[in-house]
Amino acid sequence: MKHIGTKEIRTERLLLRRFTLNDAEPMFNNWANDPNVTEYLTWQPHGNISVTKDVLKDWVGSYEKDNYYHWGIVVEATGELIGSIGTVLQDDKIEMVHIGYCIGKKWWRQGYVSEALAALIKFFFEEVYMNRIESRHDPRNPNSGKVMIKCGMKYEGHMRQADWSNQGICDAANYALLAKDYFRKPLPTKIVEVLYRCADKSDIDAVTDLLCELYEMEHGELLDENKTHFSDRRQGFFLAFAGDKPIGVAHVSLRNDYVNGTELGGTCGYLEAIYVKPEYRLNGIAVALIRLCEKWAKENGCREFASDCPLHNIESYRFHLHIGFVETERCIFFRKDI
């Protein structure tokens, strides 16, 4: 471990920098006085700008210490200071930092916090040589957990009434990432050049074989269903090939019935299935197939694109978040014989 203090960090869209006393006005106006921002946090919204100034004096004075880490989040394109991120707890004995963050409501759901957190994870593991990075959130604020998942942090458990927020005593959902997992970056099992194209009726066996691997079904069971799909202009299939070998497939459809979470109305593109043979994963094949599905849906008049995955399929869940999907709702379905 090598403490180096709050150094300036740049990302694709952000500048992470030290706070200054001149930041009082944007900090107060952009997030510190907003009860929506602090709803699930541990500090009260600032009643007036003098509170903000006092907080900044403490932060700025702490920068003298080489083990103090606290950044302002600035959007480079506009120069706006939109939030803060830094350590709220630290334990040098176990080489751990606990990270907290918040940004103004105006900038929610634009990926800024994920971008800032990912940069700090890289900084603490690669430059400070920390062994563990952790964070937690009130389970009533699930979007904070999505940020942690998107940055590769592992869910470690739910502690009942183990924390406190502005809503009172609350549960805590805990996440962490270890250095050994961070540096164990997976490599593609087979690095290949891949060709993609829209499937036609001559590809029905290739499509069915791949989807049978996904659904764990017999070829004949799925073939009749796929024959119907290939005759339906509202269904589309895309294939990925390594040479002449089909190695991935995506099934997309057009839906006019209500799709959970959609807002614009009309026809919605829907990812019915995505599958890449295990030995060819981590080559970006699934992402490329989905982009083709999105393009097809857009060409067919769709303004939104949706998907789903089983709750237990954490790998699929993280993949959806990684490529830009936003979780809309969790629901349990029931059935019984009558």
Side-chain angles (χ1 to χ4, degrees), residues 2-11 14-20 23 27 31 55-56 59-60 62-63 65-75 80-90 97-103 112-113 115-125 127-128 130 133:
K2 182 184 71 173
H3 285 303
I4 57 176
T6 306
K7 61 169 283 186
E8 189 174 282
I9 301 172
R10 277 188 159 81
T11 69
L14 302 174
L15 168 65
L16 307 181
R17 62 159 174 83
R18 294 184 175 191
F19 282 95
T20 73
D23 290 324
M27 177 177 166
W31 77 89
V55 169
L56 281 174
W59 291 354
V60 171
S62 297
Y63 285 132
K65 297 178 285 187
D66 64 3
N67 65 344
Y68 183 74
Y69 301 101
H70 200 166
W71 290 263
I73 304 172
V74 177
V75 179
E80 293 173 293
L81 179 68
I82 65 170
S84 69
I85 186 168
T87 61
V88 295
L89 185 65
Q90 201 167 301
V97 287
H98 185 112
I99 296 178
Y101 45 76
C102 66
I103 65 168
Y112 289 131
V113 178
E115 191 170 324
L117 178 57
L120 260 60
I121 288 173
K122 176 180 172 66
F123 168 76
F124 280 119
F125 280 142
E127 299 189 50
V128 186
M130 283 292 173
I133 296 173

Side-chain angles (χ1 to χ4, degrees), residues 28-147:
F28 178 79
N29 292 331
N30 290 347
W31 77 89
N33 75 334
D34 187 349
N36 289 303
V37 173
T38 63
E39 183 177 8
Y40 298 108
L41 300 181
T42 59
W43 51 274
Q44 293 287 324
H46 296 179
N48 56 68
I49 199 168
S50 64
V51 177
T52 308
K53 289 179 178 179
D54 289 340
V55 169
L56 281 174
K57 285 179 184 177
D58 181 58
W59 291 354
V60 171
S62 297
Y63 285 132
E64 295 179 359
K65 297 178 285 187
D66 64 3
N67 65 344
Y68 183 74
Y69 301 101
H70 200 166
W71 290 263
I73 304 172
V74 177
V75 179
E76 287 245 69
T78 62
E80 293 173 293
L81 179 68
I82 65 170
S84 69
I85 186 168
T87 61
V88 295
L89 185 65
Q90 201 167 301
D91 189 333
D92 286 358
K93 287 184 179 179
I94 60 172
E95 299 177 345
M96 177 276 291
V97 287
H98 185 112
I99 296 178
Y101 45 76
C102 66
I103 65 168
K105 188 175 181 180
K106 176 182 174 182
W107 297 275
W108 287 0
R109 298 181 180 87
Q110 297 180 50
Y112 289 131
V113 178
S114 299
E115 191 170 324
L117 178 57
L120 260 60
I121 288 173
K122 176 180 172 66
F123 168 76
F124 280 119
F125 280 142
E126 297 186 13
E127 299 189 50
V128 186
Y129 310 135
M130 283 292 173
N131 182 59
R132 174 181 169 89
I133 296 173
E134 64 178 38
S135 192
R136 68 175 181 266
H137 69 92
D138 185 323
R140 291 169 293 184
N141 183 21
N143 286 327
S144 186
K146 292 175 186 177
V147 169

Side-chain angles (χ1 to χ4, degrees), residues 93-306:
K93 287 184 179 179
I94 60 172
E95 299 177 345
M96 177 276 291
V97 287
H98 185 112
I99 296 178
Y101 45 76
C102 66
I103 65 168
K105 188 175 181 180
K106 176 182 174 182
W107 297 275
W108 287 0
R109 298 181 180 87
Q110 297 180 50
Y112 289 131
V113 178
S114 299
E115 191 170 324
L117 178 57
L120 260 60
I121 288 173
K122 176 180 172 66
F123 168 76
F124 280 119
F125 280 142
E126 297 186 13
E127 299 189 50
V128 186
Y129 310 135
M130 283 292 173
N131 182 59
R132 174 181 169 89
I133 296 173
E134 64 178 38
S135 192
R136 68 175 181 266
H137 69 92
D138 185 323
R140 291 169 293 184
N141 183 21
N143 286 327
S144 186
K146 292 175 186 177
V147 169
M148 300 171 199
I149 291 171
K150 189 173 181 179
C151 292
M153 302 181 80
K154 310 293 185 185
Y155 175 65
E156 293 192 330
H158 184 111
M159 297 174 65
R160 297 178 300 157
Q161 298 186 16
D163 205 354
W164 190 93
S165 76
N166 285 320
Q167 301 304 304
I169 296 173
C170 64
D171 294 355
N174 299 284
Y175 293 79
L177 184 61
L178 301 181
K180 67 176 185 177
D181 297 322
Y182 172 81
F183 288 107
R184 191 190 299 138
K185 295 179 180 178
L187 297 173
T189 46
K190 285 188 179 180
I191 301 175
V192 291
E193 289 200 18
V194 184
L195 299 176
Y196 303 89
R197 65 172 171 81
C198 184
D200 57 34
K201 289 185 177 180
S202 68
D203 298 308
I204 191 167
D205 284 325
V207 167
T208 302
D209 285 341
L210 287 166
L211 290 179
C212 282
E213 292 183 30
L214 172 64
Y215 297 133
E216 298 181 349
M217 295 174 62
E218 294 296 327
H219 185 93
E221 292 181 71
L222 196 56
L223 184 60
D224 289 340
E225 183 178 334
N226 282 341
K227 285 179 180 177
T228 302
H229 288 155
F230 271 92
S231 299
D232 183 354
R233 297 181 64 183
R234 298 176 61 80
Q235 309 283 334
F237 294 90
F238 290 90
L239 284 166
F241 293 86
D244 295 329
K245 181 181 178 181
I247 61 171
V249 64
H251 176 196
V252 60
S253 70
L254 304 176
R255 293 193 181 187
N256 283 110
D257 54 325
Y258 172 71
V259 173
N260 184 285
T262 56
E263 300 176 351
L264 301 178
T267 304
C268 175
Y270 202 90
L271 181 65
E272 301 287 351
I274 179 80
Y275 179 74
V276 177
K277 283 180 171 289
E279 63 268 31
Y280 294 97
R281 292 175 186 170
L282 301 175
N283 277 295
I285 296 170
V287 174
L289 285 168
I290 289 176
R291 298 303 181 222
L292 289 171
C293 291
E294 292 173 347
K295 183 174 182 290
W296 179 87
K298 194 170 184 179
E299 289 171 350
N300 280 276
C302 300
R303 295 182 293 167
E304 294 179 281
F305 194 74

